[in-house]
Amino acid sequence: MLGSLHSATEKNRIVPDIEWNKTTWTRNVPHAFKSFDIDNYGDHWGKVEETPHLINFRDRFLLPFVSPEVRALEIGSGGGRWTEYLRVCNSLVCVDVNEVMLDLVRERFAEQDNLDFVLTEGTDLPGVADSSIDLIFSHDVFVHVDPLEVFDYLAEIRRVITDKGTVVIHYADQDKVGAQKNKGFARNNPRLMRALIEHSGFEIVDEDSNIFNHSSVARFEPR
Ligand SMILES: C[S@@+](CC[C@H](N)C(=O)[O-])C[C@H]1O[C@@H](n2cnc3c(N)ncnc32)[C@H](O)[C@@H]1O
């Protein structure tokens, strides 16, 4: 299974470990605001409401699961592109590995009183109680998290999700040229991701490998 993961331009590859994720995104914030005409960090990757494939993803993997009763948690909230949709939930925990990102979301949604903010070390969800979250969502984050770290994160996700909860994770798919060409993409693919998810006590209830040209999506629930 791992053999095919080595087909990418291996000598140029970097490992997007936690340190890389801390420095890369923190540096990218001032760069993005200087280089692009954006109101919110993340819009330079596509405003959700104006980008057809993001609309498809949102309408299938996010909107059906948000509601005022749901206690939600977003991993890697960044500048809040998806927080915008998740904030209608009863409560929302915004998790990020970079404090600068949590500050962006705090500022953007300052009027909300249902948001909590958690700074992760990279695979943990400190202060989030066991079985306290109904929906966990993450987009454009696990594409940069390598499989062993994904496995550690899944254990934490299993700890905090309720028995009837649902989890949506968008992850790197090295079966696709788009991932192979991107040096910062993790060495993951749907076969490996399925194995990690199933070994962590979940069953996959929906999957997609068509929406994105460098990544795939899994929705899964506790077994
Ligand atoms: C490419 S940005 C995407 C932000 C947002 N999800 C979006 O789609 O606009 C990646 C975000 O994930 C965060 N991040 C990277 N590794 C992380 C980790 N291990 N746990 C939580 N957040 C992480 C980064 O700090 C950054 O905010």
Side-chain angles (χ1 to χ4, degrees):
M1 181 200 302
L2 283 172
S4 65
L5 293 174
H6 290 271
S7 60
T9 49
E10 200 64 26
K11 69 177 175 353
N12 296 327
R13 183 171 290 288
I14 49 149
V15 176
D17 59 12
I18 292 166
E19 260 331 289
W20 182 89
N21 272 295
K22 285 184 177 170
T23 49
T24 300
W25 306 115
T26 300
R27 276 196 210 128
N28 192 247
V29 173
H31 167 76
F33 280 111
K34 214 162 60 187
S35 312
F36 302 94
D37 182 19
I38 50 171
D39 291 330
N40 296 301
Y41 182 73
D43 286 351
H44 54 304
W45 297 310
K47 283 189 176 176
V48 176
E49 65 281 10
E50 294 174 3
T51 311
H53 71 280
L54 295 180
I55 292 173
N56 288 344
F57 170 67
R58 178 197 67 185
D59 291 356
R60 175 165 159 197
F61 285 102
L62 177 56
L63 293 188
F65 310 106
V66 296
S67 81
E69 294 79 47
V70 163
R71 295 160 296 174
L73 181 147
E74 181 181 11
I75 298 179
S77 39
R81 263 198 310 174
W82 302 98
T83 318
E84 173 63 27
Y85 298 97
L86 284 154
R87 68 191 175 119
V88 302
C89 289
N90 179 275
S91 57
L92 172 62
V93 182
C94 299
V95 178
D96 208 289
V97 78
N98 288 301
E99 191 71 53
V100 65
M101 298 298 182
L102 296 178
D103 286 342
L104 289 177
V105 176
R106 272 191 196 101
E107 203 176 304
R108 178 169 174 180
F109 302 109
E111 80 287 1
Q112 296 273 151
D113 60 6
N114 59 339
L115 304 191
D116 275 321
F117 300 90
V118 167
L119 183 67
T120 175
E121 278 302 316
T123 61
D124 60 343
L125 298 171
V128 182
D130 295 0
S131 303
S132 65
I133 303 290
D134 306 302
L135 169 65
I136 295 180
F137 174 87
S138 188
H139 174 263
D140 251 359
V141 179
F142 283 82
V143 290
H144 304 294
V145 179
D146 255 350
L148 284 178
E149 288 165 0
V150 173
F151 196 47
D152 287 345
Y153 239 138
L154 286 169
E156 271 292 84
I157 288 171
R158 185 67 188 84
R159 178 181 72 74
V160 303
I161 196 82
T162 58
D163 286 345
K164 292 190 176 350
T166 204
V167 183
V168 173
I169 303 266
H170 165 244
Y171 62 93
D173 185 346
Q174 294 288 344
D175 289 347
K176 299 181 180 180
V177 177
Q180 294 167 11
K181 282 187 172 160
N182 190 321
K183 284 192 292 181
F185 262 47
R187 290 196 286 183
N188 206 349
N189 66 32
R191 296 171 300 291
L192 183 51
M193 189 63 180
R194 267 180 223 127
L196 295 172
I197 290 170
E198 284 163 7
H199 275 82
S200 304
F202 295 98
E203 71 174 325
I204 295 174
V205 290
D206 193 11
E207 281 186 284
D208 178 86
S209 283
N210 296 314
I211 296 176
F212 299 99
N213 65 7
H214 50 33
S215 46
S216 288
V217 185
R219 184 166 75 80
F220 47 96
E221 298 178 350
R223 251 201 322 266

